[in-house]
Structure formats: structure tokens, C-alpha cells
Amino acid sequence: MQLLDIATYFTSESDVSRVAKGRLDEADLSRLYAYPPRPRRPWIRANFVASIDGAVTADGVSAGLGTPADQAVFGVLRSLTDAVLVGAGTVRAENYGGVSLPDDTRRARVDRGLDELPPVVVVTASAELDPDARVFTDTTVTPIVVTTAAASADKKKALSDAGARIVEAGETTVTTGDLLGALDGLGLHRVLCEGGPGLFGQLIADDAVDDVCLTVSPLLVAGSAGRISHSASGAVRRMTRAHVVADDDGTLLTRWVKHRTEH
Ligand SMILES: NC(=O)c1ccc[n+]([C@@H]2O[C@H](COP(=O)([O-])OP(=O)(O)OC[C@H]3O[C@@H](n4cnc5c(N)ncnc54)[C@H](OP(=O)(O)O)[C@@H]3O)[C@@H](O)[C@H]2O)c1
């Protein structure tokens, strides 16, 4: 992977100007994707992969769009975060499991003051999740379900029995304010939202997205796949380009941060 472009960079203490043009290793990528130092509120970063023609899935799942460079950055982003935030639709579609990271990455996280592994935080109004889903059965960290008071008590109990921590953050729906408050209350400030389009669309509509990492996969897929965001009403948010990284297979890795004047 090679750095093509680095633009105004203002979210990190680390000296990214030392990331020279040339081959990037994992340490370089960690510097490029660093969160702001000690965020005092949840910093919402979203990570998506899309095809050249804007599809969010190929054959129904995002893995169909993945490339080695996308996978490498996906791992780096997980290594930097306090929590992986996902909507229930993505958990249902992608058979999500808990986050696993190599031993040396886990040790490096602890050295930097992070927990060894970040929990998965699932947002669901309905609590309609399968207690046998991998997110509950294939994890070493307690998964967190952010849901509503109105969701079925039986469903919430079943998820709790399956090992989840249940956080009620809203009556019939989880507003963005409820969600940010819940993350803040849990001390989860470096947030990595891995989708899906419904959750991301709501966060955009409510102007809560600080940072977008978008991989453009070198594929055209046509068909009827959706985009990386959707919401009931449109919202235009200006972003500033942070960097563009290219891999030999044509993959482009882009990072965008909320426009400076909106900070
Ligand atoms: N290309 C990529 O990088 C990428 C990444 C992620 C997902 N995807 C794809 O996206 C598709 C899923 O799309 P989606 O829009 O259904 O995903 P989603 O945003 O993960 O799921 C939507 C569901 O999440 C819950 N939810 C989201 N926001 C909520 C809120 N604020 N309050 C309460 N509940 C909330 C609701 O679940 P309940 O119905 O349970 O209440 C809602 O029905 C899948 O095909 C997946 O493969 C692609």
C-alpha cells in the first residue's frame, strides 16, 4: 500500500508527516488512522467498503467487496477503537462475532491504555437478535446491546442470559442523542461504526459523524445493492479529506473528517 495524498490532518497528536510516500506498514497505518488524543466525548468513526459504482454489498454481504488492503485497514481500525458499533441489520446479515485481534496487537492496546479487546455494541430498537448468534457465542468480551424500554422483556432477558449487557437508551427508538449518551456513560469514546447503512444514515442525518473511512473496491457490481447510508430525510454534510492510500490491486482507502469549521 502506498500513500497518495495526505491533506489537512488535525485529529492526531502523532507526527503523520513522517509517514513518507512509499510502502506503508501497520505502524504507518496506525498513525494515519489515529483517533484524536483523549477524546472527551464519543468520536464517531464509520468504516465502509463500496464498489466503484457505489454498491454496499456484492452477493448480499460486504465481504464480497473486500480486498487485502481493505482487510488490513479493517484490522488496524479495530486495533485502535474502544468499541465496534453496529446496527442489528448488519449483525443479522453478516453473522458478526466478537472482535479478535492478534496477541501482539492486544498487548500493544494495553500498553496504550486501552482494553485488550473492544466490545461489539449492537443497536436495536426491537431486541430481535438470535441469542445463539455468533456475536453472543463467539466472543471473549461481553457484547453490549443498546435497545429500548419498549422492546420485549423476554427478548432482552434471552440476550442477557446469552451473556450480553443490556443498556436501555430510549423508549421506542434509540435516538442519536440516546446512543451517544449511552456510549459516553460506558466510557466508550473512540467509536468505530462498522455499519450498517441504516445506522450510518441516522448518524449523518443527526450530524454525529466525525470521521469516515471508505474503501473503494476495484469492482463494478450493478444489481440492486443499496448505498452505504440511508435515512428518512436527506442531509448534506461537508467533510475534509484526510488521506488517500492506494494498493497495487486498484483498491483506494480514503479517510474523511468532519469539516474543521464544524468542530
Ligand atoms: N459495505 C459495508 O461496509 C457494509 C457495512 C455494514 C453493513 N453492510 C450491509 O448492509 C446491510 C444491512 O443494512 P441495514 O441498513 O439493515 O443495517 P443496520 O443499520 O446495521 O441495521 C438497521 C437495523 O439496526 C437497528 N438500528 C439501527 N439504528 C438504530 C437506532 N438508532 N435505534 C434503534 N435501532 C437501530 C434496527 O434494528 P431492529 O430492527 O432490530 O430494531 C434497524 O432495523 C447488509 O446487507 C450488510 O451486509 C455493508
Side-chain angles (χ1 to χ4, degrees):
M1 278 181 265
Q2 275 183 294
L3 183 65
L4 289 185
D5 167 69
I6 184 156
T8 319
Y9 196 97
F10 50 87
T11 62
S12 169
E13 250 174 4
S14 52
D15 180 8
V16 285
S17 61
R18 285 184 319 174
V19 181
K21 292 198 179 197
R23 297 281 151 185
L24 300 178
D25 62 17
E26 202 175 309
D28 295 325
L29 290 173
S30 296
R31 278 193 287 276
L32 279 172
Y33 287 99
Y35 281 85
R38 294 170 294 281
R40 290 191 302 269
R41 58 158 179 92
W43 173 273
I44 304 295
R45 161 179 288 169
N47 180 40
F48 279 90
V49 58
S51 66
I52 299 168
D53 53 338
V56 72
T57 53
D59 295 330
V61 286
S62 54
L65 299 171
T67 66
D70 179 61
Q71 276 306 306
V73 168
F74 184 87
V76 166
L77 295 180
R78 284 185 157 199
S79 77
L80 299 174
T81 193
D82 288 335
V84 170
L85 176 69
V86 275
T90 297
V91 170
R92 291 189 283 255
E94 307 237 346
N95 191 24
Y96 251 67
V99 175
S100 61
L101 293 169
D103 288 348
D104 55 341
T105 306
R106 292 161 69 142
R107 280 193 295 274
R109 282 175 58 89
V110 173
D111 290 345
R112 294 199 309 273
L114 304 180
D115 289 344
E116 213 176 307
L117 287 168
V120 173
V121 179
V122 188
V123 193
T124 169
S126 66
E128 286 274 1
L129 292 164
D130 180 356
D132 293 327
R134 278 188 59 233
V135 72
F136 305 116
T137 59
D138 184 9
T139 179
T140 50
V141 177
T142 301
I144 298 168
V145 174
V146 179
T147 187
T148 59
S152 147
D154 288 349
K155 291 202 169 83
K156 285 184 276 197
K157 179 169 184 316
L159 300 181
S160 172
D161 290 347
R165 177 170 177 185
I166 308 295
V167 177
E168 283 184 5
E171 278 304 310
T172 55
T173 186
V174 182
T175 66
T176 296
D178 294 331
L179 178 59
L180 296 179
L183 292 167
D184 194 28
L186 293 163
L188 302 173
H189 287 175
R190 300 171 194 85
V191 179
L192 174 62
C193 176
E194 292 184 343
L199 178 57
F200 185 42
Q202 176 182 327
L203 293 169
I204 295 171
D206 292 331
D207 201 12
V209 176
D210 297 294
D211 190 331
V212 178
C213 303
L214 173 66
T215 298
V216 181
S217 187
L219 294 171
L220 293 167
V221 302
S224 56
R227 296 166 45 208
I228 65 170
S229 76
H230 60 76
S231 63
S233 53
V236 178
R237 308 287 175 215
R238 177 129 187 247
M239 304 294 281
T240 297
R241 188 181 69 244
H243 68 243
V244 180
V245 169
D247 199 18
D248 294 345
D249 67 0
T251 304
L252 283 183
L253 302 153
T254 68
R255 181 180 177 211
W256 309 82
V257 290
K258 189 181 261 194
H259 195 257
R260 187 193 286 267
T261 57
E262 293 177 23
H263 275 203

